[in-house]
Amino acid sequence: IAASELFAIVRREVADVEKGLDDLRSSLPALRNGCQTFAEEASAISRNRTQHRNTLANQSLLLDLLEAPALQDTCVRHGNYDEALEIESFLEKAANSHARRAPVLSELAKNASEASDVMLHQLVDKLRHQITLPECLRVVGVLRRIRAMDENSLRRVFLRSKETLARATQTQITDTTSDPYDSVKRVTDAHRVLVFDVVTQFRAIFATEEDETDEGDGFSDGGDYKNDDTKNERKKTLPSWCAFRTESFIHVLSKHVPLIDEGSRISAAFEHARYCSQSLARVGCDHRSLLLPIFSSAAFALFSEWVEVAVSDFERSAQTHRWSAFPSIGGASGGDSVRPAGFDDESKEKNASESSEQNQNKPPAPPAALAEHVLVGCFVNGILQSLNEIRHCVFSFPAIRKQCATEVHHALSRASKALVQVDTKYFNSNEADSSGGVAGNSSKRTAYVGACKALTTIAAPYVASCFGKTFGAVGEREVDARSAVEPLTKAMLGF
């Protein structure tokens, strides 16, 4: 009985053991998964710890890498372009090599590219200012390293920037200078300096490379037509800009030269512009042939204006002149003779010790008989004033001699016709005779006839002589005084 009870107890305990073993067997997969999870988490923690340790050890290097775009921007602002390009190159290489493992490198490379664009605009803006050749070489060298444009585009950008500088300089001068003469001189100086500097800089920067390319052409097979077109375009870039700049300069002269109101200033401005052209001829930008038409036209326009004033005043005064006889003045010329405007300085310098050659170059003294006829004397004085204005331009613009002779001839003709109209209107008028006017007044008639004789026999030859002294011996023959006053001469036959 005791053994049976003991057996039952043992069997129950064995069953409990088997049940515990079954429970243990069913919990083993969860334990295995838990252990694996623990191992993985432990491994991850170990890796993170290692990464954090490495990050802490390389903290300064990482900070430098993250601050690279800001450092590049600082270099650009301070003009350290070489260092900025090195930083950009480093970030590009780092992004190409490790962008997959470190996406932040792509963002850093993008920021570096934006800083490079800012540097490009800053460099192009530097070319729009007056800079020295070493600085220009440095700027163009950096632009080449940026690789933002090809060689032809770089040349066009260079010349376009210089053209912007030239236009700004011209606009500033013309806007701030009210005197046309000073404006022409300042524009001429600015044009000479700028074109000479640009051509010199362009050849120093680009010509060497072009020469090396031309020397290598002898070894090519001649089949690359695209390269030939590129070379031709390069060769035409600088001449095209020089032609455009010259055209712009000539346009400015054509606007301001006609505004100069003195012949001496026109001649001085022409000499200044011609010196500019001679200076630029050393770099192949000679434009002397374009200057002569502008200045000669301005000189002739000034002469025509003065002549027109003299003739208009004579015609207007002839209609309202009060004809009266003056006391006769003897002598052909003397110290009391009336000196026309323009020859006062020369008459003061005349003295007894002058040589015969110098006396021949002196302008003829005005006849004293003109003092008896104020109307004719004032007319002659106006013509002499015109010749005095143009005398500074005679040797600079010899081509205007015939035009000026025609203008003087026309002025004498108009003056003679004006006196003929006075005779027709006042002295041959029946109405004037009936009213007891000037037609019946013998003294006024005598004064009028004396003025006509003074114009035909004294003033006209004297003006032709002064024109010859101004323009040379040939000029005197080009003014036919007799034919100019022929209308009045024919009318005087009926007096």
Side-chain angles (χ1 to χ4, degrees):
I1 292 170
S4 176
E5 292 175 355
L6 182 62
F7 177 76
I9 294 171
V10 171
R11 187 169 62 181
R12 285 195 304 269
E13 291 178 355
V14 170
D16 294 337
V17 171
E18 289 179 355
K19 184 179 179 181
L21 291 175
D22 292 337
D23 294 337
L24 179 62
R25 190 180 300 112
S26 62
S27 63
L28 285 178
L31 178 61
R32 186 182 299 111
N33 294 333
C35 293
Q36 292 177 353
T37 302
F38 175 78
E40 292 174 358
E41 291 178 356
S43 178
I45 292 172
S46 178
R47 288 195 303 269
N48 291 335
R49 183 172 179 274
T50 302
Q51 292 177 356
H52 293 163
R53 184 182 299 171
N54 292 334
T55 301
L56 181 61
N58 298 285
Q59 181 182 7
S60 59
L61 297 178
L62 292 175
L63 291 177
D64 293 340
L65 182 63
L66 295 174
E67 293 175 355
L71 179 60
Q72 182 185 5
D73 185 67
T74 303
C75 292
V76 170
R77 289 200 307 270
H78 290 81
N80 300 322
Y81 303 116
D82 295 333
E83 291 77 2
L85 290 176
E86 292 177 359
I87 294 174
E88 182 186 10
S89 177
F90 168 75
L91 291 177
E92 287 181 356
K93 293 179 180 179
N96 294 332
S97 302
H98 309 286
R100 293 183 179 179
R101 293 184 295 173
V104 69
L105 293 177
S106 300
E107 188 67 23
L108 294 177
K110 182 179 178 181
N111 295 337
S113 179
E114 293 175 356
S116 180
D117 293 338
V118 174
M119 179 172 60
L120 175 62
H121 292 293
Q122 184 175 340
L123 291 171
V124 174
D125 186 68
K126 275 183 173 290
L127 294 178
R128 297 191 181 101
H129 296 79
Q130 192 74 23
I131 57 177
T132 60
L133 178 58
E135 181 67 17
C136 193
L137 285 169
R138 178 170 175 263
V139 170
V140 175
V142 175
L143 288 174
R144 282 173 172 164
R145 290 181 60 186
I146 294 177
R147 300 187 303 274
M149 59 190 77
D150 57 11
E151 191 66 19
N152 288 339
S153 299
L154 181 59
R155 296 182 180 211
R156 288 193 294 268
V157 167
F158 177 82
L159 294 178
R160 193 179 297 116
S161 302
K162 296 303 180 182
E163 179 61 25
T164 303
L165 172 62
R167 290 184 180 181
T169 304
Q170 280 188 357
T171 303
Q172 180 184 5
I173 292 175
T174 54
D175 291 345
T176 57
T177 307
S178 58
D179 188 4
Y181 173 71
D182 292 338
S183 179
V184 168
K185 288 192 65 176
R186 292 181 60 187
V187 167
T188 302
D189 290 336
H191 174 76
R192 174 176 56 84
V193 173
L194 187 137
V195 172
F196 190 86
D197 289 346
V198 170
V199 174
T200 303
Q201 292 174 0
F202 186 91
R203 290 177 176 175
I205 296 170
F206 302 104
T208 303
E209 188 175 294
E210 184 176 338
D211 294 340
E212 292 177 357
T213 305
D214 293 340
E215 292 176 0
D217 291 343
F219 300 97
S220 62
D221 57 359
D224 195 348
Y225 297 103
K226 184 177 180 180
N227 290 337
D228 293 339
D229 295 339
T230 302
K231 293 174 185 176
N232 292 332
E233 183 180 356
R234 290 181 181 179
K235 292 179 180 179
K236 294 178 181 178
T237 303
L238 181 60
S240 299
W241 179 83
C242 291
F244 179 79
R245 183 93 299 277
T246 301
E247 181 181 358
S248 178
F249 172 65
I250 295 299
H251 177 69
V252 173
L253 291 183
S254 64
K255 287 178 56 179
H256 291 83
V257 170
L259 301 178
I260 301 177
D261 56 356
E262 294 183 15
S264 59
R265 285 192 163 194
I266 292 179
S267 179
F270 174 72
E271 293 297 330
H272 202 72
R274 189 169 65 173
Y275 168 75
C276 169
S277 180
Q278 290 176 348
S279 177
L280 294 181
R282 294 180 296 172
V283 293
C285 297
D286 190 0
H287 52 267
R288 276 172 286 186
S289 60
L290 302 177
L291 299 175
L292 192 59
I294 298 175
F295 286 91
S296 60
S297 299
F300 176 70
L302 181 63
F303 178 76
S304 301
E305 181 182 354
W306 280 97
V307 171
E308 179 64 26
V309 171
V311 176
S312 299
D313 290 344
F314 180 82
E315 292 175 340
R316 184 174 57 255
S317 300
Q319 301 298 324
T320 59
H321 185 65
R322 299 179 60 184
W323 301 100
S324 59
F326 284 85
S328 178
I329 299 179
S333 62
D336 297 333
S337 61
V338 178
R339 294 288 180 176
F343 291 105
D344 293 339
D345 296 338
E346 287 85 355
S347 61
K348 291 180 181 179
E349 295 174 359
K350 186 176 181 181
N351 53 60
S353 63
E354 289 178 336
S355 63
S356 59
E357 180 179 358
Q358 291 175 337
N359 289 328
Q360 291 177 358
N361 294 330
K362 289 290 181 180
L370 291 178
E372 301 177 15
H373 310 283
V374 178
L375 183 65
V376 180
C378 292
F379 170 71
V380 172
N381 196 53
I383 298 297
L384 294 182
Q385 181 66 30
S386 305
L387 294 175
N388 189 49
E389 289 294 334
I390 201 66
R391 67 187 176 89
H392 302 281
C393 308
V394 170
F395 298 103
S396 300
F397 320 116
I400 66 173
R401 185 184 67 247
K402 292 184 178 180
Q403 294 176 319
C404 293
T406 304
E407 193 72 18
V408 172
H409 184 277
H410 184 60
L412 293 174
S413 178
R414 287 177 58 185
S416 64
K417 291 178 181 179
L419 290 181
V420 172
Q421 292 177 359
V422 171
D423 177 65
T424 304
K425 184 175 181 180
Y426 295 103
F427 295 103
N428 290 337
S429 174
N430 295 328
E431 297 179 359
D433 290 333
S434 62
S435 61
V438 293
N441 194 324
S442 60
S443 62
K444 294 182 179 181
R445 178 72 176 182
T446 302
Y448 168 73
V449 174
C452 294
K453 291 181 179 180
L455 179 63
T456 56
T457 61
I458 300 176
Y462 175 68
V463 169
S465 175
C466 291
F467 188 87
K469 286 292 184 179
T470 304
F471 286 89
V474 180
E476 185 175 357
R477 295 194 297 268
E478 291 183 352
V479 179
D480 190 354
R482 180 176 299 178
S483 64
V485 296
E486 186 176 1
L488 182 58
T489 304
K490 292 180 179 180
M492 290 173 61
L493 297 177
F495 291 173

